[in-house]
Amino acid sequence: MAVAPGSTFGEAAAGMVRVSLAAPRDLPLDGLARLADEVADTPDDAWTRTAAVPVGT
């Protein structure tokens, strides 16, 4: 599953995440569920980071 910062696609998308859904249905659904779990487990003060951090680090 590929994700990219929304700001890559213009100012109107800043603060959002763009998700590629170019895969069989079950793969993006699993990837989105994992992303949601990671977001839920991330402390609020961690969202000030600007660099990409691999999931599970």
Side-chain angles (χ1 to χ4, degrees):
M1 176 163 177
V3 297
S7 59
T8 302
F9 301 93
E11 194 175 310
M16 299 185 182
V17 175
R18 182 158 178 148
V19 177
S20 172
L21 300 176
R25 180 181 162 88
D26 59 326
L27 295 176
L29 290 175
D30 180 55
L32 288 171
R34 290 178 183 205
L35 182 60
D37 288 344
E38 190 68 25
V39 169
D41 292 341
T42 302
D44 288 342
D45 62 347
W47 295 111
T48 58
R49 292 187 225 161
T50 56
V53 177
V55 174
T57 60

